Amino acid sequence: MKDYSRIMGSTNVYEIEAFLRDAHPDDPKRIILRPRLIKMLREYIKNAKPGDQRVKEFQEKISLLVKKGSTRISFDEMNAKIKQAQIAKFQRELAEKGTGTYTTKVYGTHSATGSESPKEQASAEDISSKGMSDEENEEFKMLMSENPVEHKNRTVKILNSLFDNDPNSAESIVMITNKSKCNMIMRIEGVGYTKYRLPIPANGDNTIVVKKGDYLFSAMVCGSQYSSQKTVQKAIMVSLGDN
């Protein structure tokens, strides 16, 4: 057995990780050391230089430390059929916006039908906000409320990326599908200050163009923490939640 008598004073990532792996699940030291290790790993990633081989490893460690088994996740490369469907959808969306009509309730690939009564809409909003703090709910609304010009520019950028087959391109597409009944914000964190926030409505999906690289994906899905390390080198699709 390893000697963990001085573990509370340790600043060694691997030593603390070993303790958390070996210690009894009810050991009270876990309550202090687990968040400390996550903080140390995040701090390293924040200050890491491009190309640092430890970034991906540490992102994976963070993912394992915060992940809960209640959120199901599938990670598949976006195939040609999905890609073509996305192209058609965004082209249609651009054409519709060209008429001058616009509503902030249309975002990415999610839209409101407009046929619900105010009472039904309020009820649906209460359900979709479940599991989100007031602060995160306000952040979600803010991210959803882009103006028509921003929306058009973002859609054009996504279309360009979908059409771009250059393997040397510095960017790639990430599509997030939210199969849950709750709104969510996917946080995509890379090296240093490279961060993205993508709001995905309940039972909807959304797409973003990011720089290629290693990322830590995290989100709250109906109150459950999701976290996963992913390497983005080509178009990918992430599916979360289950109706």
Side-chain angles (χ1 to χ4, degrees), residues 15-73:
E15 184 178 22
I16 297 175
E17 181 189 23
F19 169 80
L20 293 173
R21 183 179 62 245
D22 298 340
H24 189 279
D26 297 328
D27 192 318
K29 297 186 185 72
R30 284 180 170 274
I31 298 174
I32 298 174
L33 292 176
R34 182 168 168 270
R36 181 191 297 178
L37 179 56
I38 292 174
K39 182 179 179 180
M40 289 168 63
L41 293 170
R42 287 186 180 277
E43 192 66 26
Y44 182 91
I45 293 171
K46 178 180 176 180
N47 297 312
K49 296 180 180 179
D52 190 325
Q53 297 300 310
R54 285 191 178 186
V55 168
K56 181 177 179 179
E57 176 193 349
F58 283 9
Q59 287 174 334
E60 290 173 341
K61 291 183 187 299
I62 294 174
S63 176
L64 291 173
L65 285 166
V66 303
K67 187 181 295 182
K68 293 184 178 179
S70 58
T71 300
R72 192 174 71 182
I73 173 69

Coordinates of all heavy atoms in Angstrom, one line a residue, residues 15-73:
E15 N -0.2 12.0 -7.6 CA -0.4 11.5 -6.2 C -1.8 11.6 -5.7 O -2.3 10.6 -5.1 CB 0.6 12.2 -5.3 CG 0.6 11.6 -3.9 CD 1.6 12.2 -2.9 OE1 2.0 13.4 -3.2 OE2 2.0 11.6 -2.0
I16 N -2.4 12.8 -5.9 CA -3.8 13.0 -5.5 C -4.7 12.1 -6.2 O -5.7 11.5 -5.7 CB -4.2 14.4 -5.6 CG1 -3.3 15.3 -4.7 CG2 -5.7 14.6 -5.3 CD1 -3.6 16.8 -4.9
E17 N -4.5 11.9 -7.6 CA -5.3 11.1 -8.4 C -5.2 9.6 -7.9 O -6.2 8.9 -7.8 CB -4.8 11.1 -9.8 CG -5.7 10.3 -10.8 CD -5.0 10.2 -12.2 OE1 -3.8 10.4 -12.3 OE2 -5.8 9.9 -13.1
A18 N -4.0 9.2 -7.5 CA -3.8 7.8 -7.0 C -4.5 7.6 -5.7 O -5.2 6.5 -5.5 CB -2.3 7.5 -6.8
F19 N -4.5 8.6 -4.8 CA -5.2 8.5 -3.6 C -6.7 8.3 -3.8 O -7.4 7.5 -3.2 CB -5.0 9.7 -2.7 CG -5.9 9.8 -1.5 CD1 -5.6 9.1 -0.4 CD2 -7.0 10.6 -1.5 CE1 -6.5 9.1 0.7 CE2 -7.9 10.6 -0.4 CZ -7.6 9.9 0.7
L20 N -7.3 9.2 -4.7 CA -8.7 9.1 -5.0 C -9.1 7.8 -5.6 O -10.2 7.3 -5.4 CB -9.1 10.3 -5.9 CG -9.0 11.7 -5.4 CD1 -9.3 12.7 -6.4 CD2 -10.0 11.9 -4.2
R21 N -8.2 7.2 -6.3 CA -8.4 5.9 -6.9 C -8.4 4.8 -5.9 O -9.2 3.8 -5.9 CB -7.4 5.6 -8.0 CG -7.6 4.3 -8.8 CD -6.5 4.1 -9.8 NE -5.2 4.0 -9.3 CZ -4.2 4.9 -9.5 NH1 -4.5 5.9 -10.3 NH2 -3.0 4.8 -9.0
D22 N -7.5 4.9 -4.9 CA -7.3 3.8 -3.9 C -8.1 4.0 -2.7 O -8.4 3.0 -2.0 CB -5.8 3.8 -3.5 CG -4.9 3.4 -4.7 OD1 -5.4 2.9 -5.7 OD2 -3.7 3.7 -4.6
A23 N -8.5 5.2 -2.3 CA -9.1 5.4 -1.0 C -10.6 4.8 -1.0 O -11.2 4.7 -2.0 CB -9.2 6.9 -0.8
H24 N -11.0 4.6 0.2 CA -12.4 4.1 0.4 C -13.4 5.2 -0.1 O -13.2 6.4 0.1 CB -12.6 3.8 1.9 CG -13.9 3.1 2.1 ND1 -15.1 3.7 2.2 CD2 -14.2 1.7 2.3 CE1 -16.1 2.9 2.5 NE2 -15.5 1.6 2.5
P25 N -14.5 4.8 -0.7 CA -15.5 5.7 -1.2 C -16.0 6.7 -0.1 O -16.4 7.8 -0.5 CB -16.6 4.8 -1.7 CG -15.9 3.6 -2.1 CD -14.9 3.4 -1.0
D26 N -16.0 6.3 1.1 CA -16.5 7.2 2.2 C -15.4 8.0 2.9 O -15.7 8.6 3.9 CB -17.3 6.3 3.2 CG -18.5 5.6 2.6 OD1 -19.1 6.2 1.7 OD2 -18.8 4.5 3.1
D27 N -14.2 7.9 2.4 CA -13.1 8.6 3.1 C -13.4 10.1 3.0 O -13.6 10.7 1.9 CB -11.8 8.3 2.4 CG -10.6 8.8 3.1 OD1 -10.6 9.9 3.6 OD2 -9.6 8.0 3.2
P28 N -13.4 10.8 4.1 CA -13.8 12.3 4.1 C -12.8 13.1 3.4 O -13.1 14.2 3.0 CB -13.8 12.6 5.6 CG -13.0 11.6 6.3 CD -13.2 10.3 5.5
K29 N -11.6 12.6 3.2 CA -10.5 13.4 2.5 C -10.9 13.6 1.0 O -10.5 14.6 0.4 CB -9.2 12.7 2.5 CG -8.6 12.6 3.9 CD -7.2 12.0 3.8 CE -6.5 11.7 5.2 NZ -7.2 10.5 5.8
R30 N -11.8 12.7 0.5 CA -12.2 12.9 -0.9 C -12.9 14.2 -1.1 O -12.8 14.8 -2.2 CB -13.1 11.7 -1.2 CG -12.5 10.4 -1.5 CD -13.5 9.3 -1.8 NE -12.9 8.1 -2.3 CZ -12.5 7.9 -3.6 NH1 -12.7 8.8 -4.5 NH2 -12.0 6.8 -3.9
I31 N -13.7 14.6 -0.1 CA -14.5 15.8 -0.3 C -13.6 17.1 -0.5 O -14.0 18.0 -1.3 CB -15.3 16.1 1.0 CG1 -16.3 14.9 1.2 CG2 -16.1 17.4 0.9 CD1 -17.1 14.9 2.5
I32 N -12.4 17.0 0.0 CA -11.5 18.2 -0.2 C -10.6 18.0 -1.4 O -10.4 18.9 -2.2 CB -10.6 18.3 1.1 CG1 -11.5 18.7 2.3 CG2 -9.6 19.4 0.9 CD1 -10.8 18.7 3.6
L33 N -10.1 16.8 -1.5 CA -9.1 16.5 -2.6 C -9.7 16.4 -4.0 O -9.0 16.8 -4.9 CB -8.3 15.2 -2.2 CG -7.4 15.3 -1.0 CD1 -6.8 14.0 -0.7 CD2 -6.4 16.4 -1.2
R34 N -10.9 16.0 -4.1 CA -11.4 15.9 -5.5 C -11.6 17.2 -6.1 O -11.1 17.4 -7.2 CB -12.8 15.1 -5.4 CG -13.5 14.9 -6.7 CD -14.6 14.0 -6.6 NE -15.5 13.9 -7.7 CZ -16.5 14.7 -7.9 NH1 -16.9 15.6 -7.0 NH2 -17.3 14.6 -9.0
P35 N -12.3 18.2 -5.5 CA -12.3 19.5 -6.1 C -11.0 20.2 -6.3 O -10.7 21.0 -7.2 CB -13.3 20.3 -5.2 CG -13.3 19.6 -3.9 CD -13.1 18.2 -4.2
R36 N -10.0 19.9 -5.3 CA -8.7 20.5 -5.4 C -8.0 20.0 -6.6 O -7.3 20.8 -7.4 CB -7.9 20.1 -4.2 CG -6.4 20.7 -4.2 CD -5.6 20.2 -3.1 NE -6.0 20.5 -1.8 CZ -5.4 20.1 -0.7 NH1 -4.4 19.3 -0.7 NH2 -5.9 20.4 0.5
L37 N -8.1 18.7 -6.9 CA -7.5 18.1 -8.1 C -8.1 18.7 -9.4 O -7.3 19.0 -10.3 CB -7.6 16.6 -8.1 CG -7.0 15.8 -9.3 CD1 -5.6 16.2 -9.4 CD2 -7.2 14.3 -9.1
I38 N -9.4 18.8 -9.4 CA -10.0 19.4 -10.6 C -9.5 20.8 -10.8 O -9.2 21.2 -12.0 CB -11.6 19.4 -10.4 CG1 -12.1 18.0 -10.5 CG2 -12.2 20.2 -11.5 CD1 -13.6 17.9 -10.1
K39 N -9.4 21.6 -9.8 CA -8.9 23.0 -9.9 C -7.5 23.0 -10.4 O -7.1 23.8 -11.3 CB -9.0 23.7 -8.5 CG -8.5 25.1 -8.5 CD -8.7 25.7 -7.2 CE -8.2 27.2 -7.2 NZ -8.3 27.8 -5.9
M40 N -6.6 22.1 -9.9 CA -5.2 22.0 -10.3 C -5.1 21.6 -11.8 O -4.3 22.2 -12.6 CB -4.5 21.0 -9.5 CG -4.3 21.4 -8.0 SD -3.7 20.0 -7.0 CE -2.1 19.6 -7.8
L41 N -6.0 20.7 -12.2 CA -5.9 20.3 -13.6 C -6.4 21.4 -14.6 O -5.8 21.7 -15.6 CB -6.8 19.1 -13.8 CG -6.4 17.8 -13.1 CD1 -7.4 16.7 -13.2 CD2 -5.1 17.3 -13.8
R42 N -7.5 22.1 -14.1 CA -8.0 23.2 -15.0 C -6.9 24.4 -15.0 O -6.8 25.0 -16.1 CB -9.3 23.8 -14.4 CG -10.5 22.9 -14.6 CD -11.7 23.5 -14.1 NE -12.9 22.7 -14.2 CZ -13.6 22.6 -15.3 NH1 -13.2 23.3 -16.4 NH2 -14.7 21.9 -15.4
E43 N -6.2 24.6 -13.9 CA -5.2 25.7 -13.9 C -4.1 25.3 -14.9 O -3.5 26.2 -15.6 CB -4.7 25.8 -12.5 CG -3.8 27.0 -12.3 CD -4.6 28.3 -12.4 OE1 -5.8 28.3 -12.2 OE2 -4.0 29.4 -12.8
Y44 N -3.7 24.0 -14.9 CA -2.6 23.6 -15.8 C -3.0 23.8 -17.3 O -2.3 24.4 -18.1 CB -2.3 22.1 -15.6 CG -1.1 21.7 -16.4 CD1 0.2 21.7 -16.0 CD2 -1.4 21.2 -17.7 CE1 1.2 21.3 -16.8 CE2 -0.3 20.8 -18.6 CZ 1.0 20.9 -18.1 OH 2.0 20.5 -18.9
I45 N -4.3 23.4 -17.6 CA -4.8 23.5 -19.0 C -4.8 25.0 -19.4 O -4.5 25.3 -20.5 CB -6.2 22.9 -19.1 CG1 -6.0 21.3 -18.9 CG2 -6.8 23.2 -20.4 CD1 -7.4 20.6 -18.8
K46 N -5.3 25.8 -18.4 CA -5.4 27.3 -18.7 C -4.1 27.9 -19.1 O -4.0 28.7 -20.0 CB -5.9 28.0 -17.5 CG -6.1 29.5 -17.7 CD -6.6 30.1 -16.4 CE -6.7 31.6 -16.5 NZ -7.2 32.2 -15.2
N47 N -3.0 27.4 -18.5 CA -1.7 28.0 -18.8 C -0.8 27.2 -19.7 O 0.4 27.5 -19.9 CB -0.9 28.2 -17.4 CG -1.6 29.1 -16.5 OD1 -2.0 30.2 -16.9 ND2 -1.8 28.7 -15.2
A48 N -1.4 26.1 -20.3 CA -0.6 25.2 -21.1 C -0.3 25.9 -22.5 O -1.1 26.8 -22.9 CB -1.4 23.9 -21.4
K49 N 0.8 25.5 -23.1 CA 1.1 26.0 -24.4 C 0.5 25.2 -25.5 O 0.3 24.0 -25.3 CB 2.7 26.0 -24.6 CG 3.4 27.0 -23.6 CD 4.9 26.9 -23.8 CE 5.6 27.9 -22.9 NZ 7.1 27.8 -23.1
P50 N 0.2 25.7 -26.7 CA -0.3 24.9 -27.8 C 0.5 23.7 -28.0 O 1.8 23.8 -28.1 CB -0.3 25.9 -28.9 CG -0.4 27.2 -28.3 CD 0.4 27.1 -27.0
G51 N -0.1 22.6 -28.2 CA 0.6 21.3 -28.5 C 1.0 20.5 -27.3 O 1.7 19.5 -27.4
D52 N 0.8 21.1 -26.1 CA 1.1 20.4 -24.9 C 0.4 19.0 -24.8 O -0.8 19.0 -24.8 CB 0.8 21.2 -23.7 CG 1.3 20.7 -22.4 OD1 1.4 19.4 -22.2 OD2 1.7 21.5 -21.5
Q53 N 1.1 17.9 -24.7 CA 0.6 16.6 -24.8 C -0.3 16.3 -23.5 O -1.1 15.3 -23.5 CB 1.7 15.5 -25.0 CG 2.4 15.7 -26.3 CD 1.5 15.5 -27.5 OE1 0.7 14.6 -27.6 NE2 1.6 16.5 -28.4
R54 N 0.0 17.0 -22.5 CA -0.7 16.7 -21.2 C -2.2 17.2 -21.2 O -3.0 16.8 -20.4 CB 0.0 17.3 -20.0 CG 1.3 16.5 -19.6 CD 1.8 17.0 -18.3 NE 3.0 16.3 -17.9 CZ 3.5 16.4 -16.7 NH1 3.1 17.3 -15.8 NH2 4.6 15.7 -16.4
V55 N -2.5 18.2 -22.1 CA -3.8 18.8 -22.1 C -4.9 17.8 -22.3 O -5.8 17.8 -21.5 CB -3.9 19.9 -23.2 CG1 -5.3 20.4 -23.4 CG2 -3.0 21.1 -22.8
K56 N -4.8 17.0 -23.3 CA -5.8 16.0 -23.5 C -5.9 15.0 -22.3 O -7.0 14.7 -21.9 CB -5.4 15.2 -24.8 CG -6.5 14.1 -25.2 CD -6.1 13.4 -26.5 CE -7.1 12.3 -26.8 NZ -6.8 11.7 -28.1
E57 N -4.8 14.6 -21.8 CA -4.8 13.7 -20.7 C -5.5 14.3 -19.5 O -6.3 13.6 -18.8 CB -3.3 13.3 -20.3 CG -3.2 12.5 -19.0 CD -1.8 12.4 -18.5 OE1 -0.8 12.9 -19.2 OE2 -1.6 11.9 -17.4
F58 N -5.2 15.6 -19.2 CA -5.8 16.2 -18.0 C -7.3 16.5 -18.3 O -8.1 16.5 -17.3 CB -5.0 17.5 -17.7 CG -3.7 17.3 -17.0 CD1 -3.2 16.0 -16.9 CD2 -3.0 18.3 -16.5 CE1 -2.0 15.8 -16.2 CE2 -1.8 18.1 -15.9 CZ -1.3 16.8 -15.7
Q59 N -7.7 16.8 -19.5 CA -9.1 17.0 -19.8 C -9.8 15.7 -19.5 O -11.0 15.7 -19.0 CB -9.3 17.4 -21.3 CG -8.9 18.8 -21.5 CD -8.9 19.2 -23.0 OE1 -8.8 18.3 -23.9 NE2 -9.1 20.4 -23.3
E60 N -9.2 14.5 -19.9 CA -9.9 13.2 -19.7 C -10.0 13.0 -18.2 O -11.0 12.4 -17.7 CB -9.1 12.1 -20.3 CG -9.2 12.2 -21.9 CD -8.2 11.2 -22.5 OE1 -7.2 10.7 -21.9 OE2 -8.4 10.8 -23.7
K61 N -9.0 13.4 -17.4 CA -9.0 13.2 -15.9 C -10.1 14.0 -15.3 O -10.9 13.5 -14.5 CB -7.7 13.6 -15.3 CG -6.5 12.7 -15.7 CD -5.2 13.1 -14.9 CE -4.0 12.3 -15.4 NZ -4.2 10.8 -15.1
I62 N -10.3 15.3 -15.8 CA -11.4 16.1 -15.3 C -12.7 15.5 -15.6 O -13.6 15.4 -14.7 CB -11.3 17.5 -15.9 CG1 -10.1 18.2 -15.4 CG2 -12.6 18.3 -15.5 CD1 -9.8 19.6 -16.1
S63 N -12.9 15.0 -16.8 CA -14.1 14.3 -17.2 C -14.5 13.2 -16.3 O -15.6 13.0 -15.9 CB -14.0 13.8 -18.7 OG -15.1 13.1 -19.1
L64 N -13.5 12.3 -16.0 CA -13.7 11.2 -15.1 C -14.1 11.6 -13.7 O -14.8 11.0 -13.0 CB -12.5 10.3 -15.1 CG -12.2 9.5 -16.4 CD1 -10.9 8.8 -16.3 CD2 -13.3 8.5 -16.7
L65 N -13.5 12.7 -13.3 CA -13.7 13.2 -11.9 C -15.1 13.8 -11.7 O -15.7 13.7 -10.6 CB -12.7 14.3 -11.5 CG -11.3 13.7 -11.2 CD1 -10.3 14.9 -11.2 CD2 -11.2 13.0 -9.9
V66 N -15.7 14.4 -12.7 CA -17.0 15.1 -12.6 C -18.2 14.3 -13.2 O -19.3 14.6 -12.9 CB -17.0 16.5 -13.2 CG1 -15.9 17.3 -12.5 CG2 -16.8 16.5 -14.7
K67 N -17.8 13.3 -14.0 CA -18.9 12.6 -14.7 C -19.8 11.8 -13.8 O -19.3 11.2 -12.8 CB -18.3 11.7 -15.8 CG -19.3 11.0 -16.7 CD -18.7 10.1 -17.7 CE -17.8 10.8 -18.6 NZ -17.2 9.9 -19.6
K68 N -21.1 11.8 -14.1 CA -22.1 10.9 -13.4 C -22.7 9.9 -14.4 O -22.9 10.3 -15.5 CB -23.2 11.8 -12.7 CG -22.6 12.7 -11.6 CD -23.8 13.4 -11.0 CE -23.3 14.3 -9.8 NZ -24.4 15.0 -9.2
G69 N -23.1 8.8 -13.9 CA -23.6 7.8 -14.8 C -25.0 8.0 -15.2 O -25.5 7.2 -16.0
S70 N -25.7 9.0 -14.8 CA -27.1 9.2 -15.1 C -27.3 9.8 -16.4 O -28.5 9.9 -16.9 CB -27.8 10.1 -14.0 OG -27.1 11.3 -13.9
T71 N -26.3 10.4 -17.1 CA -26.4 11.0 -18.4 C -25.8 10.1 -19.5 O -24.7 9.8 -19.4 CB -25.7 12.4 -18.4 OG1 -26.3 13.2 -17.4 CG2 -25.9 13.0 -19.7
R72 N -26.7 9.7 -20.4 CA -26.2 8.9 -21.5 C -25.6 9.7 -22.6 O -26.2 10.7 -23.0 CB -27.3 8.0 -22.0 CG -26.9 6.9 -22.9 CD -28.0 6.0 -23.3 NE -28.9 6.6 -24.2 CZ -30.0 6.0 -24.7 NH1 -30.3 4.8 -24.2 NH2 -30.8 6.7 -25.5
I73 N -24.5 9.3 -23.1 CA -23.9 10.1 -24.2 C -23.4 9.2 -25.3 O -22.9 8.1 -25.1 CB -22.7 10.9 -23.6 CG1 -21.9 11.6 -24.8 CG2 -21.7 10.0 -22.9 CD1 -22.6 12.7 -25.4

